[in-house]
């Protein structure tokens, strides 16, 4: 089955082969079990500013920058774009609410996977739409020695967040690799779209409440139910891609 997925991917872009050199990891819903708190924070923020975003709907927009989500809601509910002051204020509210929730746990299976990927000698790149300092600052503590500042793309580094390919294209640049030399690990539909738009083989792990179909339709090249399963299947996947 994996071979079919790889063949379909190669055919889509007329690439010859995948020669894996770098693995690009999304953060929320992949490295941290944090989406439940993000979605609740978005719902509460939405209520405070007269928006109509529910926690459930917020999962569909995971991966885009806070700025993008706020603008989308302002257009929808205020019938005008948000000013940059409003964007800043509303996002600060969202971060503040998020910080009052308990610390999100590292995602089950993530540490095992990261250790394997590192010991296999691949570069590990963080590509997140988040600008949430509390989580970014915890990476070193929770995943000691895995991530490096010069291989991290956050919302501060891009003009256009996911589903634009920009974050993943910048990730490729930082690692100095081509799309066929990389792999994306994502959990969100917009994140999967971004990885696919960057022409990178994109593995979706469905760690949230959305249906598998949403991730399939976003273009996932391979779909797995959890980071634990990805970690267990890593040796097989690696051997097929390296
Ligand atoms: Mg995510």
């Amino acid at each position: 089955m994996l071979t079919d997925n790889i063949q379909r991917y190669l055919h889509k872009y007329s690439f010859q082969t995948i020669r894996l050199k770098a693995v690009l990891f999304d953060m929320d819903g992949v490295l941290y079990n944090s989406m439940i708190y993000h979605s609740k924070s978005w719902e509460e923020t939405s209520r405070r500013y007269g928006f109509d975003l529910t926690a459930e709907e917020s999962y569909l927009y995971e991966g885009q920058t806070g700025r993008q989500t706020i603008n989308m809601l302002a257009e929808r509910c205020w019938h005008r774009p948000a000013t940059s002051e409003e964007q800043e204020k509303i996002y600060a509210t969202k971060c503040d609410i998020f910080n009052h929730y308990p610390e999100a746990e590292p995602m089950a299976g993530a540490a095992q996977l990261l250790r394997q990927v590192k010991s296999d000698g691949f570069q590990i790149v963080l590509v997140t739409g988040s600008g949430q300092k509390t989580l970014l600052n915890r990476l070193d503590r929770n995943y000691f020695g895995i991530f490096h500042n010069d291989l991290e793309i956050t919302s501060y580094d891009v003009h256009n967040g996911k589903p634009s390919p920009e974050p993943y294209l910048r990730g490729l640049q930082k690692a100095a690799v081509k799309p066929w030399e990389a792999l994306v690990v994502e959990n969100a539909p917009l994140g999967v779209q971004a990885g696919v738009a960057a022409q990178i083989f994109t593995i979706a792990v469905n760690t949230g409440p959305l249906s598998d179909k949403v991730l399939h339709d976003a273009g996932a090249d391979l779909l797995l139910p959890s980071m634990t399963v990805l970690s267990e299947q890593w040796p097989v996947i690696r051997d097929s891609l390296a």
Side-chain angles (χ1 to χ4, degrees), residues 31-213:
L31 303 177
Y32 288 104
N33 197 2
S34 47
M35 279 312 298
I36 182 77
Y37 301 135
H38 281 296
S39 61
K40 287 180 176 182
S41 310
W42 274 118
E43 185 172 81
E44 192 175 334
T45 304
S46 168
R47 223 181 3 251
R48 286 196 199 177
Y49 291 94
F51 297 145
D52 60 358
L53 184 70
T54 62
E56 292 72 30
E57 191 196 355
S58 73
Y59 279 93
L60 292 173
Y61 309 121
E62 185 197 342
Q64 66 184 10
T65 60
R67 199 170 56 235
Q68 285 173 301
T69 303
I70 291 160
N71 258 333
M72 181 199 77
L73 293 170
E75 294 279 6
R76 188 162 94 187
C77 300
W78 296 349
H79 309 290
R80 64 165 178 85
T83 64
S84 47
E85 290 77 26
E86 286 168 338
Q87 288 172 23
E88 218 169 286
K89 182 163 177 244
I90 297 170
Y91 191 63
T93 302
K94 187 263 165 184
C95 292
D96 186 52
I97 296 170
F98 179 84
N99 291 338
H100 280 83
Y101 281 107
E103 278 202 338
E105 293 291 320
M107 185 65 79
Q112 294 88 317
L113 176 63
L114 289 166
R115 275 198 299 271
Q116 292 186 78
V117 171
K118 189 177 164 70
S119 75
D120 288 334
F122 302 122
Q123 295 188 80
I124 293 176
V125 186
L126 180 79
V127 181
T128 176
S130 176
Q132 192 94 41
K133 300 279 190 197
T134 39
L135 274 185
L136 292 166
N137 293 341
R138 280 178 56 198
L139 278 169
D140 248 2
R141 180 153 44 99
N142 295 127
Y143 302 107
F144 183 73
I146 297 286
F147 293 97
H148 298 283
N149 285 342
D150 54 344
L151 289 178
E152 291 181 3
I153 304 289
T154 72
S155 69
Y156 303 104
D157 301 304
V158 296
H159 294 294
N160 302 299
K162 304 167 186 178
S164 160
E166 188 186 337
Y168 282 111
L169 292 174
R170 300 262 293 118
L172 292 175
Q173 266 173 11
K174 285 229 176 186
V177 297
K178 301 293 184 192
W180 60 88
E181 294 172 331
L183 187 64
V184 162
V185 182
E186 260 291 349
N187 70 304
L190 296 183
V192 169
Q193 282 182 40
V196 169
Q199 304 192 340
I200 306 167
F201 189 92
T202 299
I203 299 180
V205 284
N206 194 355
T207 61
L210 298 175
S211 69
D212 281 354
K213 182 173 186 301

